[in-house]
Amino acid sequence: MSNYRNVFTLDEFRVSEVRNFPMATGELSNLLRDISLAAKLINIEVNKAGLVDMLGDTGTVNIQGELVKKLDEFANNQMIAVLKRGISCAGIVSEELEDVMVFDDEMSCKSKYIVAFDPLDGSSNIDNCISIGTIFGIYSRKSTRGQPCNEGDFRLEGKNMVSAGYVIYGSSTMFVFATKRSVNGFTLDPSIGEFYLSHPDIKCPEKGRIYSVNHGNYYHYSTGVQKYLDHIQQKNKEKESSYTQRHVASMVADLHRNLIKGGIFLNPATGAFPNGKLRLIYECNPWAFIFEVAGGKATNGKKRILDIAFKDLHQRTPLYIGNSSMMKELGVFLEDDGGLVA
Ligand code: F6P
Ligand code: MN
């Protein structure tokens, strides 16, 4: 990309999509632009966090019972601000808010989308300069436009998703989003503050060799998961395979890498989290949407993540996600748990 002016910026890409699909209203496209602005604002603060009193906790505990970091709060406020000021979002759900937020001004009421997000994922890594990220899912509202969203609109389900994406604040900052057609990744050029299309039409390779799991919890996992992990190590021992373990414990970093290189990520149920740790609406559904568009799979061990019924805004689920062949291999072991994957 030495002379990358022939590469699309995010805005140029948005315009080209509108040109290619003249029926599009541009609403989704506006929403993505709004979120990309929040991404830039969060990126700046993440980059200089140690210098501007942005590390550490706020002293409050969120609905999840987790200590809220200063950067969590900052990121949450940026996301809310851009979506509220924009004209394409009728309401939001955030990991940091106990309840939904309805935008009831005239323009927002006319919008057809609800955005659910985890403003800053990977909290345990925030204070240590390790990659963290923002995750978002864009859902269609069910009620007629023109009125503020109602309770039913916020019963968010995978089948109502139209787009999902994430921002990774890593060695580069990338904004990646999926529509039903494709997944595209944009890298931030910090010198001019523009995202450029660096990863067009991302496909998760059919085969992979990376597995990402918190091995420390091995004895808390189900028999099927334990057998799968034993199997992987056994195959390596016998030199039949060369699996390799990579686990950052920042979902965005682990899944971004696995999406590009091929690999599997497991966050199973444990004694401490009998229903799984990760949240369905703003963590697992977005990632499942992205992986499926890219050719991968995502399940809770029994069914497709995107088919899980809504129970509450902050419901948790086990998550198994990755390239199709590794998911298939895992599925054989999860049958021991009475489940079915892939
Ligand atoms: O949001 C939860 C999270 O921070 C994810 O980013 C990460 O993958 C997970 O927790 C790590 O959990 P564990 O320590 O149980 O592996
Ligand atoms: Mn999270």
Side-chain angles (χ1 to χ4, degrees):
M1 288 245 291
S2 55
N3 173 13
Y4 59 76
R5 191 56 202 92
N6 54 359
V7 176
F8 277 6
T9 65
L10 176 60
D11 269 333
E12 289 167 340
F13 180 81
R14 290 188 319 114
V15 171
S16 78
E17 290 281 283
V18 174
R19 278 179 198 266
N20 290 340
F21 299 94
M23 300 297 280
T25 60
E27 262 192 81
L28 177 62
S29 169
N30 285 343
L31 208 43
L32 293 166
R33 185 207 45 218
D34 296 341
I35 297 172
S36 77
L37 172 60
K40 289 182 207 171
L41 295 164
I42 298 167
N43 178 60
I44 293 285
E45 220 59 21
V46 166
N47 277 185
K48 62 180 185 199
L51 300 173
V52 289
D53 193 27
M54 263 293 174
L55 296 182
D57 304 323
T58 55
T60 50
V61 174
N62 68 10
I63 166 78
Q64 326 284 335
E66 297 161 353
L67 272 172
V68 179
K69 302 270 178 192
K70 290 179 187 170
L71 275 172
D72 283 328
E73 191 174 82
F74 177 84
N76 192 41
N77 290 340
Q78 299 310 312
M79 286 293 282
I80 296 173
V82 295
L83 294 170
K84 199 168 161 50
R85 284 184 198 150
I87 54 169
S88 305
C89 179
I92 59 162
V93 171
S94 163
E95 179 181 315
E96 301 301 337
L97 300 177
E98 180 164 359
D99 215 344
V100 306
M101 194 181 272
V102 176
F103 298 153
D104 57 6
D105 61 282
E106 199 188 332
M107 288 305 280
S108 302
C109 283
K110 287 186 192 153
S111 314
K112 57 180 172 189
Y113 298 120
I114 292 177
V115 183
F117 56 86
D118 178 351
L120 210 52
D121 177 72
S123 305
S124 63
N125 288 319
I126 284 183
D127 291 343
N128 309 306
C129 298
I130 297 171
S131 301
I132 48 181
T134 300
I135 308 167
F136 62 90
I138 301 178
Y139 296 78
S140 284
R141 69 184 283 180
K142 296 165 197 158
S143 65
T144 319
R145 298 208 241 171
Q147 297 295 320
C149 282
N150 59 39
E151 211 185 314
D153 288 322
F154 286 98
R155 295 183 66 79
L156 301 173
E157 291 187 319
K159 62 173 186 275
N160 297 121
M161 294 185 84
V162 294
S163 174
Y166 62 90
V167 187
I168 178 165
Y169 311 100
S171 47
S172 296
T173 293
M174 281 189 69
F175 180 76
V176 180
F177 67 86
T179 60
K180 284 183 178 156
R181 285 190 302 276
S182 58
V183 185
N184 290 283
F186 299 79
T187 300
L188 182 66
D189 178 341
S191 60
I192 52 165
E194 283 284 357
F195 282 105
Y196 279 92
L197 179 62
S198 50
H199 296 58
D201 199 13
I202 295 171
K203 300 278 185 232
C204 183
E206 206 264 316
K207 293 193 168 70
R209 49 187 288 267
I210 297 170
Y211 71 106
S212 315
V213 67
N214 185 343
H215 239 290
N217 287 335
Y218 177 90
Y219 290 107
H220 297 287
Y221 296 149
S222 64
T223 317
V225 174
Q226 288 182 2
K227 282 189 180 163
Y228 171 70
L229 297 175
D230 295 345
H231 158 82
I232 282 206
Q233 290 170 80
Q234 191 63 35
K235 280 188 87 174
N236 274 357
K237 189 175 164 202
E238 289 161 7
K239 298 202 168 45
E240 278 177 23
S241 288
S242 56
Y243 294 106
T244 186
Q245 203 216 8
R246 297 282 183 272
H247 186 243
V248 180
S250 263
M251 186 186 197
V252 174
D254 283 312
L255 289 181
H256 173 70
R257 181 203 53 236
N258 292 3
L259 177 70
I260 307 283
K261 299 188 83 166
I264 195 168
F265 173 95
L266 301 84
N267 199 293
T270 59
F273 291 103
N275 300 319
K277 181 182 183 198
L278 300 172
R279 277 57 56 105
L280 177 69
I281 306 300
Y282 42 79
E283 291 182 322
C284 299
N285 271 348
W287 274 110
F289 185 94
I290 296 163
F291 264 78
E292 285 198 4
V293 174
K297 301 245 188 276
T299 81
N300 67 355
K302 293 190 166 50
K303 55 156 72 167
R304 232 179 121 223
I305 289 289
L306 294 175
D307 286 338
I308 299 177
F310 177 90
K311 276 205 222 93
D312 67 74
L313 293 174
H314 301 287
Q315 78 197 69
R316 296 176 191 263
T317 174
L319 176 66
Y320 305 96
I321 185 166
N323 62 290
S324 55
S325 67
M326 288 186 85
M327 285 294 287
K328 198 164 175 203
E329 186 180 26
L330 170 71
V332 175
F333 293 89
L334 293 194
E335 277 170 18
D336 278 10
D337 298 337
L340 174 72
V341 166

